[in-house]
Amino acid sequence: ISDITNSILNSCFCFLRMRMVMIHQNIMTATLIFASSCLALTGQIFTSAFSSGSVIRKHDNIHVVRERRCSLFVPALSPPPLPLVTDPISSSTSLSAIREATFGMGCFWEPAESLLKKPGILATTVGYTGAPPKKKAPTYDAVCFGNYWVEGVRVAYDDELVSYDQVLDYFFQLQKPGYSRQYASVVFANDATEVKQATQWKKERIAKQSDNKISPYEIVEIEPVSPFYKAEEYHQRYWEKQRLRYLIAIALIAGESGAYNDFFDGALGRSEVFGLPFDSICGGVFFVGAAWMLLERLLAGEVKELEQGDLTAAAGD
């Protein structure tokens, strides 16, 4: 900025000097000085180059590391480029790692949403996993009527805020397992270390029970991670999207049944739009909404395999 200011001041000075010459000398001399001023300004062309470093974002605890370098290319008498500027972060600050874990938790709609409310959980996605190797990508119907696939929840978490054992506790608290393979209670361990951790976690939780009853932890299976296919888009954030839809649907059904006809001294029941009574309009809107939900399932039916780290990358954006 100081270089730009100097350039502007130099230009103004040259212009004033030209005016003085025009007064006291002949026009030819003034023209030569003006030309020299233009050449000086032409030499002061500048460009800026900015480069930003990595940005690592976490849910409640945000560390941001940015680098910015601004270089002005000016004549030889100009000051050197500005030094490297880094946002003030202590050199002792460590950048935490985002890790992933995959679980079978029963019907995946509710657990995926509930996990996001837990400290340290950055992102979740729902999908299908647990099948033998080389199985082709499933559909929701194949999962419902088959014996191989598990409805899974993949989690990205900040391991500085929450440990793997704590994430296992979240899994157990929020799961809603059933009796079929589709709704099995499963910890899908990423490696041998996690297999050991999950096995030890299960043993410790069973040992804490003082009675002789069968521990609920007994149903938890521990399996090596297998290909994870992200479920169709209409399954993602399911309850977040459906709550409002269900409320509107109930209101429309009530309107179609005449529940609002006596509102405003019966004016609502007598009202018409394009010749259609209010209750018919409610029924029509309800069926249009239902048709859209069916169409959504057809249009958003893609099932895509997620590699390890894909959810982590999304959580870090």
Side-chain angles (χ1 to χ4, degrees), residues 188-208:
F188 293 99
N190 290 320
D191 50 36
T193 300
E194 285 192 357
V195 169
K196 184 177 179 180
Q197 285 181 273
T199 303
Q200 184 64 27
W201 167 84
K202 180 177 177 179
K203 288 180 179 179
E204 290 176 356
R205 298 303 184 272
I206 293 174
K208 286 182 179 180

Side-chain angles (χ1 to χ4, degrees), residues 194-254:
E194 285 192 357
V195 169
K196 184 177 179 180
Q197 285 181 273
T199 303
Q200 184 64 27
W201 167 84
K202 180 177 177 179
K203 288 180 179 179
E204 290 176 356
R205 298 303 184 272
I206 293 174
K208 286 182 179 180
Q209 289 192 300
S210 57
D211 54 37
N212 294 323
K213 295 180 180 179
I214 297 176
S215 170
Y217 289 91
E218 294 282 0
I219 67 170
V220 177
E221 301 174 27
I222 301 171
E223 300 180 9
V225 71
S226 54
F228 183 95
Y229 291 88
K230 183 179 178 181
E232 297 87 345
E233 187 58 34
Y234 62 86
H235 285 301
Q236 309 299 328
R237 308 189 326 276
Y238 184 82
W239 284 117
E240 178 184 334
K241 295 182 290 187
Q242 300 301 333
R243 285 189 185 94
L244 180 59
R245 291 179 178 180
Y246 287 154
L247 289 174
I248 294 173
I250 292 171
L252 290 173
I253 292 172

